[in-house]
Amino acid sequence: MAQPQSDQRTLVLGGARSGKSIAAERLLSAVPGVVYVATGGDDAGNAEWAERVAKHRARRPASWGLAETIDLVPLLSSPGPPLLIDCLTLWLSRTMDELQVWSELTRADLVEDRIATLATAWSSTPRRVVAVSNDVGSGIVPADPGTRLFRDLMGRLNTTISLASDEVLWTIAGRTLPLT
């Protein structure tokens, strides 16, 4: 397996509507054949969600491919064109759905296992990869246990992927800053 280049793995963090997806797209805008990995799912029938998806599609170069999945490990484990994963926050939410953690919070260890597996694949990927993720831990403490668990797992996921990244960027109010 080829050694990763210095900017092989980039994590772009930020709050909601901070510009993190646009910043991630800019990092790969001149690269042909990028595979945009949409983790959000279909959410059929939701007009607001459809509008968000349409805006993302309109911004992407026509030469980019699309994969709609939360099964990121096979993509990260195989050689191929660069990946733009948007986003890890939705990956976590859908993973919690899949593992039925929302209804049984004691199943959180299953999510922790998925985070560890994802981090291993992220660390050794032969591809250039940029991932987007929300920083959800800077606000108020959520009132219910499920949302607190999500916030805690999101923090663990972001920390784990950040520590395995070559570059971490923070986006706020449309500005992107490197984190060292």
Side-chain angles (χ1 to χ4, degrees):
M1 181 179 297
Q3 281 291 5
Q5 54 192 16
S6 63
D7 64 348
Q8 180 86 10
R9 296 172 302 269
T10 302
L11 177 61
V12 182
L13 295 168
R17 297 291 193 225
S18 63
K20 61 194 173 297
S21 292
I22 291 171
E25 291 163 5
R26 284 185 187 143
L27 291 173
L28 295 171
S29 64
V31 180
V34 170
V35 175
Y36 183 95
V37 183
T39 62
D42 181 354
D43 210 2
N46 183 326
E48 184 267 340
W49 185 254
E51 183 179 332
R52 285 176 182 245
V53 170
K55 285 179 181 178
H56 276 256
R57 284 184 181 144
R59 284 197 315 252
R60 294 194 300 263
S63 65
W64 286 13
L66 175 66
E68 296 181 77
T69 184
I70 63 168
D71 195 8
L72 303 179
V73 171
L75 290 170
L76 291 167
S77 299
S78 63
L83 301 173
L84 192 161
I85 301 168
D86 198 355
C87 75
L88 294 179
T89 311
L90 292 169
W91 174 86
L92 177 61
S93 179
R94 290 188 59 213
T95 297
M96 290 175 72
D97 289 345
E98 181 180 286
L99 297 172
Q100 301 176 350
V101 173
W102 297 107
S103 59
E104 187 59 51
L105 301 181
T106 59
R107 298 173 59 87
D109 59 326
L110 300 173
V111 179
E112 298 270 9
D113 292 344
R114 294 266 180 106
I115 291 171
T117 301
L118 177 62
T120 298
W122 176 267
S123 295
S124 61
T125 186
R127 300 180 188 232
R128 181 171 181 201
V129 61
V130 175
V132 174
S133 191
N134 286 53
D135 182 16
V136 299
S138 298
I140 60 172
V141 176
D144 67 279
T147 308
R148 281 193 301 274
L149 176 62
F150 176 79
R151 181 215 43 201
D152 292 349
L153 289 170
M154 194 71 251
R156 287 187 197 118
L157 173 59
N158 284 342
T159 299
T160 302
I161 296 299
S162 172
L163 293 174
S165 295
D166 302 303
E167 180 178 44
V168 180
L169 303 173
W170 172 253
T171 303
I172 185 166
R175 302 291 181 137
T176 303
L177 308 167
L179 298 179
T180 56

